[in-house]
Amino acid sequence: MAIKVQAGHETVFVDTFTNGILSPTGPMLGPVRDGGHIVANTAPGCWGPMITPAIRGGHEVTQPVAVEGAEVGDAIAIRIKDIVVTSIATASGNDQVMTGRFLGDPYVAGRCPECGTLYPETRIEGIGPTAVRCANCGADATPFTFTNGYTIAFDENHQVGVTLHQQAAESIARDAKRYAALPEKSIQNPILTFAPHDLVGVVARMRPFMGQLGTTPAIDMPDSHNAGDFGSFLVGAPHEYGITVDQLAHRTDGHLDVDAVRAGAILICPVKVPGGGVYMGDMHALQGDGEIAGHTCDVSGVVTLQVHVIKGLNIDGPILLPVAEDLPFLAKPLTAEERARAEAVARAWGIPAIEESAPISVIGTGPDLNSATDNGLQRAADLLEMTVPEVKNRATITGAIEIGRHPGVVQVTFRAPLDRLEKRGLLPFVRDQYGIG
C-alpha cells in the first residue's frame, strides 16, 4: 500500500511508538516539510524492550514520520539539532538468553515457557530478575537476564553517571518508571526493575547519541535487526519475520550504535519507501566504540531533528558527517598551516595543485566486522565512483576504519574529493558541516 504524502508541516511532534516492527505499509506521522523539524520524546532501547516480549523488535522506536517530497531513490539528510537525556538513572550490562523463552530469536519472538503464548503480555511483580511475569499464566517470562549488570545514576546536569550498590539500586527499582522517565505511551518494562548492582562506584562520562536513527526499510523488519549484523539473524528464522538473504538488502541500517550520531552531526539516509519514514530511538547516554558489552546506558530523552530531501542520491545505506572533533586525526580538514606546507611540497615536485577534499564517513554493516568493512568500502566506492582499492588507500592515508558496534557496524572515514561530493549533491552539507570553501 503506497503512503500518501500530503503538504508538509513545519514541525512534527512524536510521542508514539511502534510494536517493534518497522513496516513500509504502516501508518506514518506528518508529513514534515522538506527543511522542517521533527521533535520526539524517545523511550529507552535494548534492555527495557528486551524484557518486554510483547514488543517484537528488541527496541521501542518512534512511529515513523513521512517527509514531503521524499521518493524511493532519494535520500534524507538529518541534522541532529539537539539530544537531551531525561532519565535520572538506568540499568544495563552484558546479557544471557533464557533457554525455552523464545522462538528462534529472543529479541524478536519472546514466548512464555509455561503456557507457550507468543509475544505474551506481561506484568511486573516485585523487583529483581524474576519480576517480569506472563499476564496469562504468571510464569517468569523474561527472555534475557544479566551475566554482569549495573545500575547507574546521573547528576542533574547529565555530565556524569555513577554505578550504585544494591540498596540504592533496589530503591530505584521500586519506582523504576519515574527514574527511567518513560514516555507515557511506552509499553516497555523498565530494566531498572531488575536492580543489577555488580559494578559499584564506577564513574562514566556522559555524551548522548542516538543508537537508532534512520528511515523505514522496504520490508517488515524488527527494529533492532535493521542492520547487516543483527539482520543476518532473520535469514531463515522460524518466526514470522524470517527473511531470505536477498531480502536483507531492503534494510536501511537505522540501527547504527555509532557514537558519532550525536548533536551537531548530519546523517544522510536512504529512502526505500515513499516518504522515507524517519524514525528514532535507543538513545544512549554514553558508549565506547564497539559497544563490546552488547549494551550500554539506554535512556529516555528528547530529540530535535531537521530534515532535507536530496533528490536521486540513490544510496544503499547511511552516510555520516560527524562533528569535527569526532573525526579520526587523519580525516580532519587541513588547517591553513598544513595546507601551506602541502602546497610548498607540491610546488617543489612540480604538482600544479593539491586535491581539494573534505571528510565523509560511510557506514558499512554485515554479519562480522570484515564483511561490514567490505560493505562500507563498496558503498563508498559506489557513492564516489571510485574503485574499492582507491577507497582503501584513501581510508588508510586520510582516514580510518572505526568500529561502531561489534559484531558488524563500521565507519569508513576519509577525505573525499570535493568535485565528487559536488557531483552527488553532498557538497552543500559538507561545506556547512566543516566550513570548507
Side-chain angles (χ1 to χ4, degrees):
M1 180 179 70
I3 303 297
K4 185 177 180 180
V5 179
Q6 301 174 348
H9 302 285
E10 176 60 44
T11 304
V12 174
F13 296 94
V14 186
D15 67 349
T16 51
F17 304 92
T18 72
N19 68 344
I21 301 300
L22 297 165
S23 176
T25 60
M28 293 187 188
L29 300 175
V32 63
R33 74 169 182 87
D34 183 0
H37 294 78
I38 302 171
V39 180
N41 183 193
T42 66
C46 290
W47 269 105
M50 284 163 53
I51 64 168
T52 310
I55 297 176
R56 304 184 181 194
H59 283 167
E60 190 176 30
V61 300
T62 58
Q63 187 176 353
V65 177
V67 180
E68 182 181 25
E71 302 172 312
V72 175
D74 295 339
I76 297 173
I78 302 172
R79 298 178 189 270
I80 307 172
K81 309 294 282 189
D82 198 21
I83 298 176
V84 178
V85 175
T86 55
S87 294
I88 303 168
T90 191
S92 191
N94 186 244
D95 69 75
Q96 63 180 347
V97 298
M98 303 301 288
T99 302
R101 300 185 185 183
F102 56 91
L103 175 62
D105 189 326
Y107 291 94
V108 175
R111 181 169 60 185
C112 176
E114 292 192 11
C115 69
T117 301
L118 198 61
Y119 320 120
E121 298 292 331
T122 53
R123 61 175 181 265
I124 298 292
E125 294 184 4
I127 63 173
T130 63
V132 175
R133 297 284 169 167
C134 174
N136 182 53
C137 71
D140 181 1
T142 179
F144 294 91
T145 56
F146 290 110
T147 58
N148 184 280
Y150 52 89
T151 298
I152 185 168
F154 309 122
D155 74 295
E156 291 185 359
N157 292 320
H158 288 101
Q159 300 296 310
V160 297
V162 179
T163 58
L164 306 179
H165 54 55
Q166 180 176 356
Q167 182 179 358
E170 291 181 350
S171 175
I172 287 174
R174 295 185 180 94
D175 197 7
K177 285 188 177 182
R178 182 175 73 85
Y179 282 96
L182 282 187
E184 292 180 3
K185 295 177 183 177
S186 168
I187 66 168
Q188 67 180 259
N189 298 317
I191 188 56
L192 285 164
T193 302
F194 278 17
H197 51 272
D198 294 309
L199 298 179
V200 179
V202 177
V203 180
R205 296 184 181 93
M206 295 180 67
R207 191 168 76 170
F209 69 97
M210 301 308 298
Q212 285 260 18
L213 180 60
T215 47
T216 300
I219 60 171
D220 285 2
M221 185 168 285
D223 49 18
S224 69
H225 290 41
N226 183 23
D229 51 357
F230 274 72
S232 66
F233 302 153
L234 299 175
V235 176
H239 52 73
E240 63 183 293
Y241 302 108
I243 62 174
T244 66
V245 171
D246 290 343
Q247 286 177 311
L248 190 55
H250 293 303
R251 73 189 191 273
T252 60
D253 285 341
H255 184 202
L256 295 172
D257 285 337
V258 169
D259 62 356
V261 182
R262 64 185 182 102
I266 300 173
L267 185 67
I268 301 169
C269 303
V271 174
K272 297 191 177 183
V273 301
V278 175
Y279 73 94
M280 70 202 85
D282 193 27
M283 183 186 293
H284 293 174
L286 54 100
Q287 180 192 296
D289 282 358
E291 196 182 19
I292 198 63
H295 311 284
T296 186
C297 301
D298 310 305
V299 288
S300 301
V302 177
V303 187
T304 303
L305 310 174
Q306 185 180 24
V307 295
H308 307 271
V309 177
I310 305 176
K311 300 301 293 183
L313 185 58
N314 198 29
I315 53 176
D316 181 51
I319 301 165
L320 180 63
L321 303 180
V323 298
E325 70 176 283
D326 289 349
L327 290 166
F329 173 73
L330 296 178
K332 293 180 186 293
L334 297 176
T335 65
E337 180 182 355
E338 288 171 330
R339 175 173 290 278
R341 289 179 179 275
E343 288 172 343
V345 173
R347 285 194 301 270
W349 289 93
I351 307 297
I354 61 172
E355 180 181 83
E356 299 291 333
S357 64
I360 190 171
S361 188
V362 177
I363 304 299
T365 72
D368 53 60
L369 292 174
N370 286 338
S371 58
T373 301
D374 290 342
N375 177 244
L377 292 168
Q378 187 63 61
R379 285 176 170 177
D382 293 342
L383 174 70
L384 298 172
E385 298 179 343
M386 299 175 177
T387 65
V388 168
E390 179 178 347
V391 174
K392 287 182 176 180
N393 279 335
R394 289 180 177 275
T396 299
I397 68 173
T398 73
I401 304 299
E402 302 169 274
I403 300 174
R405 176 180 63 239
H406 188 276
V409 178
V410 303
Q411 295 173 254
V412 178
T413 306
F414 58 96
R415 282 187 275 114
L418 293 190
D419 59 348
R420 304 291 181 97
L421 297 173
E422 183 176 23
K423 185 177 180 179
R424 299 312 308 272
L426 297 174
L427 190 54
F429 297 97
V430 172
R431 280 181 165 157
D432 185 46
Q433 185 71 339
Y434 301 117
I436 294 172

